[in-house]
Amino acid sequence: MDHATLTTHTGRSSHTAPSSHTAHPPHPTGSAPSRSAPTRGSDPRADADGMAVASFVLGLIGLLLFNLVFGPCAIVLAGLALARGTGRRGRALLGLTLGVADLVVLAVLVTVNDAVFWHFGG
C-alpha cells in the first residue's frame, strides 16, 4: 500500500491514510469556477435550438412592436438555426414565417397609414 508521509514542525514523521487522489491547486481567483459558465466546446445543436426559440419569440413580439427590428432578427436567427441543424425545426420555421409576417405588417402599415406603428381608433 502506498502511504503519504508528513513531517511535522518538530521533525517527527507521521503516517496518514492511503492517498487515493492528488490535491488540486486552488483556483487563481480564490473561488471555485462556476459550473454553469459556458465552455468553448459547447454543443452547437443546443445553440441552434436556442436560436430557433429566440427566432420564434422575436417574430411573435415583432408583430406588435418594432417590426423593422425584430422581423429581420427573427429571419436571421431562424436561418442560422436551420443551417446548424436544430432539433426544433418547426419552431425555427415558425420564427422565419413570423419574421416575414413582421415585414409584411410593416409594409401594410406604411402603405395604409403612412406610419411605422400601430394606431387604433380615429
Side-chain angles (χ1 to χ4, degrees):
M1 287 177 117
D2 180 33
H3 293 279
T5 303
L6 296 175
T7 305
T8 61
H9 68 281
T10 61
R12 292 181 289 168
S13 301
S14 66
H15 293 287
T16 59
S19 173
S20 62
H21 68 284
T22 59
H24 297 285
H27 196 265
T29 60
S31 64
S34 171
R35 292 181 187 222
S36 63
T39 60
R40 282 195 134 206
S42 64
D43 184 21
R45 184 159 182 177
D47 292 342
D49 290 349
M51 287 181 195
V53 172
S55 169
F56 173 72
V57 170
L58 289 175
L60 198 58
I61 293 171
L63 287 174
L64 300 173
L65 302 169
F66 304 115
N67 314 59
L68 186 61
V69 175
F70 291 145
C73 287
I75 293 169
V76 168
L77 284 173
L80 287 172
L82 291 170
R84 292 183 181 188
T86 181
R88 298 181 179 204
R89 184 173 170 80
R91 187 81 36 95
L93 290 172
L94 277 172
L96 182 65
T97 304
L98 287 170
V100 170
D102 291 347
L103 297 179
V104 169
V105 166
L106 178 66
V108 168
L109 286 173
V110 168
T111 304
V112 173
N113 292 342
D114 291 327
V116 292
F117 56 87
W118 291 96
H119 183 270
F120 295 108

